[in-house]
Amino acid sequence: MSTAAPTLALDTALAACSVAVTLPDGRASARTIPMERGQAEALVPLIASVLEEAGLEPAAVGRIAVTVGPGSFTGLRVGLATARGLGLALGCPVEGITVGEALADAVLDEAPDACVLVLIDSRRGDLFAQTFQGRDAHGLPRPLDDPRALPPDAARAAATQAGILLVGDGVARLDLGEAGPALPDPVRVARLAGRRPADAVRPPVPLYLRPPDARPAPNGGRLWA
Amino acid sequence: MGAYRVLGLETSCDETAAAIVEADRGDDGTSGGQTLAQALRSQIDEHRPFGGVVPEIAARAHLDILDGLVARALADSGLALRDLDAVAATAGPGLIGGVLVGVMTAKALALASGLPFIAVNHLEAHALTARLQGGLAFPYLLVLASGGHCQFLAVEGVGACRRLGTTIDDAAGEAFDKAAKMLGLGHPGGPAVEKAARLGDPARFALPRPLVGRPGCDLSFSGLKTALRQTVERLGPTPPTPQDIHDLCAGFQQAIADCLADRARAARHLFAQRHGPGHALVLAGGVAANQTLRAALARVADEAGMVFAAPPPALCTDNAAMVAWTGIERLRLGLTDPLDFRARPRWPLDPDAPPATGAGRVKA
């Protein structure tokens, strides 16, 4: 499905800073810079240079796509705050794409009907997991379950089911061998955003999959019971 | 000459805010500015169960609401981004998860609209806010007292603050918060302690005045907090009565007022050695909302014939008008920042000042 206006896609959910612009005629410009940290410094200048390479003024952007997670909490907020700021300034829609959708989509290009398990290293001990099989009528990876956090043993058990294909940076973390790409491709993020029907668009809201680490103070911290 | 109009964003602690401030281009800042719009949401309710600000909860809340507040400030002012001259955001010091939300939003707005981006030091914003009201020229002696900081600064110009003294442990606002927590008064502590103190006798409990009379003008509040705890424990096994709590709050608040006043006198002396007489003493930061402390510092100014100034309480606690105003002060001097600016969780106002424990620190 083609889009009527250029789409700008951002991804800072994992260990990279990635930007793409896709044009209605099918052309695309994209850059991915691998980095563990520093996305907050790199992202906006990278957007400027990818737009320039595509020969576009910011005002020409008609849609913004951004990965909403799962991934690094700080990385998600860097991408989402930027995407939402751009959307506000440009008056254009901002659509969320999950990291799982973007990674599964790459595997489904090679094996269209496959069952794909996305495993993302949470960098906190457990893994974020979601299973997809084939694509739906709009061409989006079809989820078989909700994304969730799994302890390594449970993730390993899910990954060793017969016939399942693996993708994501969690695959290397569990030493499960070769897998699909570890990072979302921003061009794919832009194109996925164009496929979803308007009434099913995912808002640009983070998919943390984990509550904040915080415990209420016992007795509110008062000196007496 | 026209006007400068700057959008400011504040997300460094538990207030999310956007504001638009306007000032005359032909002025040097002493005529002040006008706040055209401001939208602010405090996260007090989200953090209350935890007895303090939880950084991850704060960062999540900032992202959820900041763009909506920017849209509201723009709508309320009747302006579009293209009518503005710059976008400024607090870029530190503060809780970095929240700071990044404000900085990225501001950078994105700047890129999309072609406006310059200005990275504002949150402490400088507090330091310059008193000028937003108009009539305040450099230099002046600033008492910056908030939940994260407690310092005496000679404010000599934009980007030119000299630290005369600082707390060596807790900030004054932090001391209020911890006292309120120990006494079961909840979060945030400053207003609760002040309210309870109105009904209490400040002389009933003897609490220490750390560092009072010592050379220099550093402050210390952590021993005062310990003394409060010991005083409560000495009251016996039964919980304190309401009157006990009122008296404890009154004594605690008076001790902080006495410490601040004594140390401010010492700072006043250091400031006068450098800048001579005839300048103002300015109180800023969230703690400046406390009427007892305001009165104590007003007396210190009065003793030396200094004009006393403190922004109204709504500009003392964290807000975005002070960020927008600082943006104007910097824009006037051509001080804008690149879009790869790195936000700074620690960002002392006076990089030449010797390190002191607690300086430039923000804690929950």
Side-chain angles (χ1 to χ4, degrees), chain B:
Chain B
M1 286 294 286
Y4 284 119
R5 294 191 188 110
V6 171
L7 169 68
L9 310 182
E10 165 57 39
T11 57
S12 67
C13 193
D14 60 344
E15 247 81 40
T16 317
I20 298 166
V21 172
E22 177 181 80
D24 194 339
R25 272 179 199 254
D27 188 48
D28 64 356
T30 39
S31 300
Q34 266 202 312
T35 303
L36 301 181
Q38 60 176 327
L40 181 145
R41 190 178 165 281
S42 172
Q43 303 171 7
I44 286 172
D45 291 342
E46 283 95 321
H47 298 287
R48 185 173 282 123
F50 305 97
V53 178
V54 180
E56 177 65 19
I57 292 176
R60 291 182 181 197
H62 288 305
L63 176 66
D64 287 347
I65 61 178
L66 180 62
D67 56 348
L69 295 183
V70 172
R72 205 170 90 205
L74 285 167
D76 288 354
S77 70
L79 298 171
L81 277 172
R82 65 173 174 277
D83 302 319
L84 305 180
D85 297 286
V87 182
T90 291
L95 301 171
I96 192 66
V99 168
L100 283 176
V101 170
V103 165
M104 296 317 294
T105 302
K107 286 177 175 179
L109 294 172
L111 175 75
S113 58
L115 297 174
F117 164 70
I118 299 172
V120 167
N121 180 312
H122 181 84
L123 301 178
E124 180 165 48
H126 276 303
L128 297 178
T129 307
R131 282 164 58 78
L132 171 56
Q133 307 298 108
L136 181 63
F138 298 119
Y140 51 88
L141 173 60
L142 177 76
V143 184
L144 174 58
S146 70
H149 301 89
C150 198
Q151 311 185 343
F152 297 105
L153 296 152
V155 184
E156 298 171 352
V158 176
C161 283
R162 184 174 301 273
R163 199 182 79 202
L164 305 173
T166 180
T167 178
I168 57 170
D169 42 55
D170 292 349
E174 191 177 357
F176 272 104
D177 283 341
K178 287 178 176 172
K181 207 164 162 175
M182 287 193 273
L183 298 176
L185 298 175
H187 168 86
V193 171
E194 184 176 15
K195 191 171 163 216
R198 277 192 213 115
L199 304 168
D201 170 11
R204 178 174 157 205
F205 296 108
L207 292 168
R209 299 325 192 229
L211 296 186
V212 161
R214 299 275 284 276
C217 61
D218 283 342
L219 296 131
S220 166
F221 295 112
S222 117
L224 184 54
K225 178 186 67 194
T226 307
L228 181 73
R229 178 195 303 276
Q230 290 165 343
T231 304
V232 173
E233 283 162 1
R234 273 199 299 273
L235 284 174
T238 54
T241 65
Q243 191 57 49
D244 291 337
I245 291 174
H246 298 154
D247 293 342
L248 287 161
C249 286
F252 185 80
Q253 177 175 272
Q254 192 58 50
I256 290 186
D258 289 350
C259 290
L260 269 177
D262 175 83
R263 307 284 67 206
R265 280 187 195 96
R268 188 182 72 193
H269 184 67
L270 293 172
F271 178 83
Q273 279 178 345
R274 190 173 174 82
H275 296 291
H279 302 292
L281 188 155
V282 175
L283 174 63
V287 174
N290 181 294
Q291 295 301 323
T292 300
L293 302 188
R294 255 175 130 99
L297 288 162
R299 272 195 301 279
V300 173
D302 200 45
E303 289 159 12
M306 298 172 88
V307 170
F308 176 75
L315 286 176
C316 286
T317 49
D318 287 352
N319 67 88
M322 69 180 192
V323 180
W325 169 251
T326 304
I328 288 179
E329 295 256 52
R330 298 186 75 81
L331 188 62
R332 237 185 250 296
L333 302 175
L335 300 172
T336 63
D337 295 283
L339 295 176
D340 65 353
F341 186 91
R342 183 185 296 270
R344 299 180 61 179
R346 284 162 174 263
W347 189 358
L349 259 190
D350 177 358
D352 299 330
T357 314
R361 176 176 64 168
V362 167
K363 296 205 300 197

